[in-house]
Amino acid sequence: EVKIEVVIPEKERSKEEMSPNGKASPLIYKVNGTARHYHLEEHPIASNPYHNPKDMVEASVCHVKDLENGQMREVDLGCGKALLIKESGEFHAVGHKCPHYGAPLVKGVLSKGRVRCPWHGACFNIGTGDIEDFPGLDSLPRFQVKIEKEKVYIRASKQALQTQRRTKMMAKCISLSNYNLSSTNVLIIGAGAAGLVCAETLRQEGFSDRIVMCTMDRHLPYDRPKLSKSMDSQPEQIALRSREFFCTYDIEVLTEMQVAAVDIKSKIAVFKDGFKMEYNKLLIATGNTPKALSCKGKEMENVFNIRTPEDANRVVKLATSKNVVIVGASFLGMEVAAYLAERAHSVSLVELEEVPFKKFFGEKVGRAVMKMFESNRVKFYMQTEVSELREQEGKLKEVVLKSGKVLRADVCVVGVGAVPATGFLKQSGINMDSKGFIVVNKMMQTNIPGVFAAGDAVTFPLALRNNKKVNVPHWQMAHMHGRIAALNMLAHGTEISTVPYLWTAMFGKSIRYAGHAEGFDDVVIQGDLDELKFVAFYTKSDEVVAVASMNYDPIVSKVAEVLAAGRTIRKRDVE
């Protein structure tokens, strides 16, 4: 065991000896290699008595009897707002906006010491402000609450009130020895949400040896779901963390670097250019590779998979006032169609199924969504596929369908699914299923000791469905995979039990979804599909296995909390 020195002001020491999940965390870690000294840093520090007094504000916000147990209220402190919460007779105050996309948490769901975001399901501890479920990387600032003469006062930093976010405590390395460039302690292959959360969690838990992330992308980690929802976003606008962040916390990111093979016996990753890197622990978080069309003309110019910010930007530029054909009514295909509908001259969508999202949301919800698209000038060509892409002077001119229909097309976007990016592991000895997904246990461990996998490329046991091995290729789940993998690299023995939560945004409207409805046999719909104000409960036998809603917040977050608590919702309860 190597003892690691922590620099903390004396008065804060007892507080800081708690780990981010609230359990006592000994400041001793087993690490291989040289001892690393670090200190713990927090930006911005929300409720720190060492703040400049001029930066602090204190205000009386209500009478103690104004809030019942289980109630939340947004309160104004003059220079910013806070979320005041009363639970079990105690008052807590944290940031009022979700740090992910700014959702008002007062409209979220309060349950057993945490508040869940109404939009995308992120969860925050009301006592510490720490993020406990994802998406997003930052926690909430926590403010001091005191009761005097039956009045509730909140004392807060102006900076924290204005930023409404806080980076969780991290180990910042301050006296690193020179590393051997070809060796590393933790190697993370892939720089999406899973890889980044893994690296951050390691630092939050006090790990201070070398962390290297490598990615085939040319950019630092970015918000990939934005590529189809906000297609003209620039890389710096959707970056998940700044370059300075990676420098501060000593997380190395190797861009445009592809791993070609992994030697599990020697613990070496071999890169495409021949470079070799040793590792002690490995996380594979390579995600998916989009499927290509199999027809004639698929290699033509102006035919795109949306994989990078450059792809998305180029499609927007080429599609403006032109004819666009999108192949595949997938989440990506539908989001791209919605984004381009008012920019392009025409948008046509080709799909093999009879309605979009049929397997995922069911036929009734799929038809309601389709109707919304048709009222926004999107033309559907269903139950057919592409037989040929035709060119004129080297550029795409027409898309020919198997039905015989010929569509004018200046741009074609392909969204016909994806396969796990795991081809490089075929000879590695790492266990994969017949489709190429890496098989992991509840701790995100593969069959090889010290090798973990996370994100879109894995199948893992889903607690919600009796530990059935599933693939859930969504943003929130990738975050949680990364966190669980990091905790188990540090031998915490933490198992994954999160409820899948996802969303899609089209024409300014969002569908939210929680659970896992694969193989559902019925859908119970409340509300009005025509008005696009509904909630759909997906059932298997007598049990609700998932829920989707539009304009019905925070119902999906409520159901997610019930499922997260391990409680069963019966079909009769929602009928």
Side-chain angles (χ1 to χ4, degrees):
E1 291 188 339
V2 179
K3 191 160 184 175
I4 297 172
E5 180 186 323
V6 181
V7 183
I8 303 175
E10 199 62 41
K11 290 179 187 173
E12 291 287 74
R13 193 171 295 274
S14 60
K15 247 192 272 181
E16 305 302 358
E17 284 181 3
M18 301 296 279
S19 72
N21 59 16
K23 292 173 187 162
S25 174
L27 299 171
I28 296 172
Y29 292 86
K30 289 178 182 173
V31 292
N32 290 342
T34 326
R36 307 273 183 250
H37 293 285
Y38 68 86
H39 64 255
L40 294 169
E41 271 215 348
E42 192 166 0
H43 298 291
I45 300 170
S47 52
N48 190 331
Y50 308 103
H51 258 304
N52 180 346
K54 288 180 182 174
D55 181 48
M56 302 303 288
V57 60
E58 188 173 291
S60 165
V61 292
C62 70
H63 191 276
V64 288
K65 291 181 180 173
D66 288 347
L67 251 67
E68 298 290 327
N69 275 325
Q71 276 193 318
M72 301 188 287
R73 179 183 288 187
E74 218 174 71
V75 293
D76 199 332
L77 277 71
C79 61
K81 292 180 179 178
L83 182 69
L84 181 66
I85 301 161
K86 188 177 182 183
E87 195 175 61
S88 305
E90 285 189 26
F91 286 91
H92 304 274
V94 291
H96 75 289
K97 281 184 180 178
C98 178
H100 178 230
Y101 277 155
L105 292 174
V106 72
K107 294 183 178 178
V109 179
L110 177 65
S111 172
K112 293 181 181 173
R114 68 182 195 174
V115 59
R116 187 184 277 269
C117 170
W119 291 358
H120 305 129
C123 294
F124 303 91
N125 185 300
I126 61 172
T128 63
D130 283 345
I131 187 165
E132 293 186 345
D133 202 343
F134 301 94
L137 298 166
D138 289 316
S139 296
L140 298 174
R142 178 175 63 89
F143 308 124
Q144 293 171 342
V145 179
K146 65 177 182 180
I147 313 293
E148 276 182 13
K149 295 177 183 175
E150 299 291 285
K151 284 188 175 178
V152 180
Y153 290 83
I154 295 177
R155 188 168 188 264
S157 145
K158 291 177 187 174
Q159 184 193 6
L161 282 169
Q162 282 153 14
T163 58
Q164 289 290 318
R165 61 180 64 231
R166 170 180 63 87
T167 303
K168 273 176 86 170
M169 201 68 73
M170 292 222 198
K172 178 183 174 183
C173 305
I174 54 174
S175 61
L176 296 173
S177 58
N178 290 327
Y179 292 123
N180 175 349
L181 282 177
S182 66
S183 70
T184 181
N185 232 31
V186 174
L187 174 62
I188 297 168
I189 307 175
L196 180 57
V197 172
C198 179
E200 290 202 19
T201 302
L202 288 169
R203 289 286 184 247
Q204 285 159 3
E205 293 293 315
F207 179 81
S208 60
D209 264 2
R210 192 177 185 208
I211 299 173
V212 179
M213 298 171 72
C214 61
T215 172
M216 289 164 61
D217 222 307
R218 67 169 71 169
H219 305 292
L220 292 173
Y222 57 87
D223 191 342
R224 196 179 288 278
K226 275 278 186 84
L227 294 185
S228 51
K229 296 179 179 77
S230 180
M231 296 179 69
D232 54 2
S233 297
Q234 297 306 301
E236 57 276 9
Q237 292 173 310
I238 57 174
L240 294 173
R241 293 295 194 199
S242 66
R243 196 168 292 280
E244 293 72 33
F245 179 92
F246 292 99
C247 293
T248 300
Y249 298 111
D250 196 45
I251 298 166
E252 298 169 57
V253 185
L254 308 179
T255 55
E256 298 181 89
M257 289 284 278
Q258 183 177 354
V259 175
V262 172
D263 182 339
I264 56 166
K265 284 181 184 167
S266 309
K267 292 192 170 183
I268 289 173
V270 183
F271 289 78
K272 202 172 180 181
D273 62 4
F275 179 64
K276 293 180 180 180
M277 186 175 276
E278 294 173 34
Y279 62 83
N280 181 260
K281 296 278 195 296
L282 177 67
L283 177 73
I284 302 161
T286 44
N288 282 336
T289 302
K291 285 182 185 171
L293 293 176
S294 54
C295 62
K296 184 182 169 188
K298 62 178 179 177
E299 306 293 342
M300 202 182 295
E301 206 178 317
N302 294 3
V303 178
F304 294 89
N305 287 116
I306 306 288
R307 193 69 191 148
T308 66
E310 288 78 12
D311 293 337
N313 295 171
R314 185 120 176 86
V315 166
V316 173
K317 196 174 176 183
L318 291 169
T320 303
S321 304
K322 296 288 175 60
N323 301 299
V324 181
V325 173
I326 296 162
V327 185
S330 56
F331 282 97
L332 180 136
M334 294 290 276
E335 288 170 4
V336 169
Y339 190 83
L340 295 178
E342 49 186 51
R343 292 166 177 82
H345 174 70
S346 72
V347 175
S348 305
L349 221 151
V350 181
E351 166 60 39
L352 210 46
E353 291 283 344
E354 57 189 307
V355 292
F357 300 134
K358 186 181 175 183
K359 285 180 183 168
F360 204 87
F361 291 136
E363 188 170 341
K364 288 179 182 175
V365 173
R367 285 204 186 282
V369 172
M370 188 171 171
K371 202 168 156 186
M372 174 177 78
F373 272 72
E374 287 172 332
S375 68
N376 283 280
R377 299 190 315 111
V378 175
K379 186 100 170 88
F380 286 91
Y381 296 88
M382 306 304 280
Q383 295 179 286
T384 185
E385 50 192 320
V386 176
S387 65
E388 186 187 348
L389 301 176
R390 287 183 187 158
E391 65 171 326
Q392 188 177 342
E393 296 172 3
K395 287 186 180 174
L396 178 67
K397 197 66 191 165
E398 291 173 336
V399 173
V400 184
L401 306 182
K402 285 195 175 166
S403 62
K405 182 80 179 168
V406 179
L407 308 176
R408 290 177 60 192
D410 301 293
V411 186
C412 178
V413 176
V414 181
V416 291
V419 292
T422 56
F424 70 103
L425 298 171
K426 276 182 182 167
Q427 309 301 319
S428 68
I430 294 167
N431 190 19
M432 296 191 284
D433 69 10
S434 59
K435 292 180 180 174
F437 291 108
I438 304 166
V439 180
V440 295
N441 64 14
K442 284 184 174 185
M443 296 189 215
M444 309 314 294
Q445 292 169 326
T446 67
N447 60 312
I448 307 298
V451 178
F452 297 77
D456 294 3
V458 309
T459 61
F460 68 101
L462 185 64
L464 187 68
R465 298 294 296 271
N466 297 320
N467 296 319
K468 179 186 174 187
K469 285 275 173 87
V470 299
N471 171 250
V472 181
H474 296 292
W475 196 235
Q476 168 255 3
M477 193 55 82
H479 284 71
M480 187 54 90
H481 283 182
R483 177 158 176 78
I484 298 294
L487 292 174
N488 291 310
M489 284 178 182
L490 300 173
H492 282 221
T494 309
E495 295 186 348
I496 191 160
S497 63
T498 193
V499 173
Y501 199 116
L502 64 109
W503 66 96
T504 181
M506 304 159 298
F507 300 112
K509 293 179 168 42
S510 285
I511 299 179
R512 319 208 189 283
Y513 177 100
H516 188 75
E518 192 175 61
F520 65 90
D521 51 36
D522 197 12
V523 188
V524 178
I525 292 170
Q526 309 285 1
D528 192 328
L529 284 170
D530 291 331
E531 292 291 316
L532 298 174
K533 185 177 168 61
F534 65 87
V535 54
F537 296 95
Y538 299 87
T539 63
K540 195 163 187 180
S541 300
D542 182 39
E543 193 179 328
V544 174
V545 290
V547 60
S549 82
M550 191 184 263
N551 290 318
Y552 233 99
D553 290 342
I555 186 71
V556 170
S557 286
K558 280 186 177 175
V559 172
E561 273 304 293
V562 173
L563 296 176
R567 282 155 47 208
T568 302
I569 303 172
R570 297 285 169 205
K571 190 175 179 179
R572 61 178 175 270
D573 299 332
V574 299
E575 276 179 330

